[in-house]
């Protein structure tokens, strides 16, 4: 099966792809990346807390961890995006303007039977959706239909939910997070875990749903799905400073050093970790 993966160049998307590495041997994979998410409103100012998350998930990951990873010789580690592209045999390319005529042509060249979207930062429009015969699947880091949009784990924690989760659903229009739901997975909220830590915990279950869906499609089965309850849909846009202040009042940290260290252990040899010193 020809599978085109659309992902964002960030830590969480990279972890998800590493959890799905068997696909790179079982199918023909093409990997395209976005490097930013959405378009900010003219009057929106990025909250300091969101800058911190972006620094860890994109800045540190792409500028520090990735170069170190690609110097590591030991085999039992996560791969960088470039290494995953090499594993597929098709490389890894940035495709920021996927809906432009040039972007569409590049996308078409992958000849996808199926498209997977994992944290991809751009809206996927009708000309893209029409190409793969098996459709476009999106792994959304929120429980639909109540938590559509951006960083919905933040809003679920603010709302006092006992569980947070992720949803595998079809993308069938340019409307965000509205397509038919295939499957959902949840984890219990843990006050000892940060926002960053809760998001991390979503991807083992989320990628398992993707792997199960692809196995069914590879066997010629269709994916059962159900329409979302429109009356329960709620979209969350770019977060504001007050959202993070409420998160702190709820007793949740933004991120924790121990959680970042656990992530690094998947990528770096122990001797490299020791050389970092400051950790």
């Amino acid at each position: 099966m020809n599978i085109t993966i659309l992902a964002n160049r960030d830590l969480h998307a990279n972890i998800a792809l590493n959890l799905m590495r068997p696909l790179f041997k079982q199918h023909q994979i093409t990997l395209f990346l976005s490097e930013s998410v959405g378009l900010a409103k003219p009057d929106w100012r990025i909250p300091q807390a969101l800058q911190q998350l972006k620094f860890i998930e994109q800045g540190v990951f792409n500028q520090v961890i990735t170069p170190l990873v690609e110097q590591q010789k030991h085999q039992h580690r996560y791969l960088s995006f470039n290494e995953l592209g090499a594993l597929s045999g098709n490389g890894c390319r940035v495709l920021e303007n996927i809906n432009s005529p040039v972007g569409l042509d590049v996308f078409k060249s992958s000849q996808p039977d199926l498209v997977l979207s994992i944290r991809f930062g751009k809206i996927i429009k009708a000309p893209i959706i029409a190409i793969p015969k098996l459709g476009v699947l999106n792994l959304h880091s929120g429980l639909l239909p109540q938590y559509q949009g951006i960083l919905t784990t933040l809003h679920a924690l603010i709302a006092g939910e006992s569980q947070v989760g992720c949803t595998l659903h079809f993308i069938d229009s340019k409307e965000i997070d509205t397509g038919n739901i295939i499957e959902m997975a949840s984890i219990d909220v843990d006050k000892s875990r940060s926002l960053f830590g809760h998001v991390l915990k979503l991807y083992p279950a989320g990628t398992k749903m993707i792997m199960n869906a692809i196995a069914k499609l590879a066997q010629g089965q269709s994916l059962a799905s159900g329409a979302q309850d429109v009356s329960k849909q709620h979209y969350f846009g770019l977060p504001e400073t007050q959202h993070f202040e409420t998160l702190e009042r709820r007793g949740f940290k933004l991120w924790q050093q121990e959680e970042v260290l656990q992530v690094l252990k998947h990528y770096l040899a122990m001797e490299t970790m020791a050389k970092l010193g400051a950790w």
Side-chain angles (χ1 to χ4, degrees), residues 90-103:
N90 291 318
C92 172
R93 288 172 284 178
V94 173
L95 193 56
E96 279 285 272
N97 299 313
I98 190 171
N99 296 296
S100 70
V102 173

Side-chain angles (χ1 to χ4, degrees), residues 40 79 87 90 108 129 144 151 157 165 173 179 190 213 223 248 252:
L79 303 180
L87 184 63
N90 291 318
K108 283 182 178 177
I129 296 169
L144 297 177
L151 201 54
L157 294 176
S173 76
D190 182 349
L223 298 179
E248 185 177 2
F252 294 100

Side-chain angles (χ1 to χ4, degrees), residues 144-180:
L144 297 177
Q146 293 92 337
Y147 288 98
Q148 300 172 333
I150 300 170
L151 201 54
T152 54
T153 303
L154 164 68
H155 295 285
L157 294 176
I158 288 173
E161 301 283 8
S162 61
Q163 293 186 319
V164 295
C166 53
T167 305
L168 183 63
H169 68 96
F170 282 106
I171 294 179
D172 53 14
S173 76
K174 67 177 182 179
E175 301 301 319
I176 299 173
D177 302 330
T178 59
N180 282 12

